[in-house]
Amino acid sequence: MSNPQILIVEDDESILKHLKNILEDSGAVVTVNRTGENVMEEVAGQHIILMDIMLPYDDGVSLSHMVKGSVDIPII
């Protein structure tokens, strides 16, 4: 099996840094989106999305509904 592809949508630099380091140390390939903007352009090929609720561009709940309406990717 290939390394998991994980999209992190998070604007807090400290949280983002720690999550990214932990996941990459575990062998995951991590993509980062710091605002939520254009998130649909980044979901292709991802195995899971870690989504913050409060984001500068939009809220994570609305973005999660938008993603789930288009693709079947688990979102935490």
Side-chain angles (χ1 to χ4, degrees), residues 7-55:
L7 172 59
I8 302 174
V9 185
E10 173 63 66
D11 62 326
D12 184 293
E13 282 298 321
S14 177
I15 293 171
L16 179 60
K17 176 184 156 193
H18 290 296
L19 277 175
K20 188 173 188 292
N21 287 340
I22 290 167
L23 293 169
E24 287 179 338
D25 288 348
S26 298
V29 177
V30 177
T31 302
V32 171
N33 180 313
R34 289 178 172 83
T35 65
E37 190 171 16
N38 302 318
V39 74
M40 289 304 296
E41 296 173 9
E42 298 173 319
V43 298
Q46 301 296 330
H47 294 114
I48 192 166
I49 300 171
L50 302 179
M51 179 85 68
D52 187 13
I53 291 179
M54 295 174 24
L55 296 162

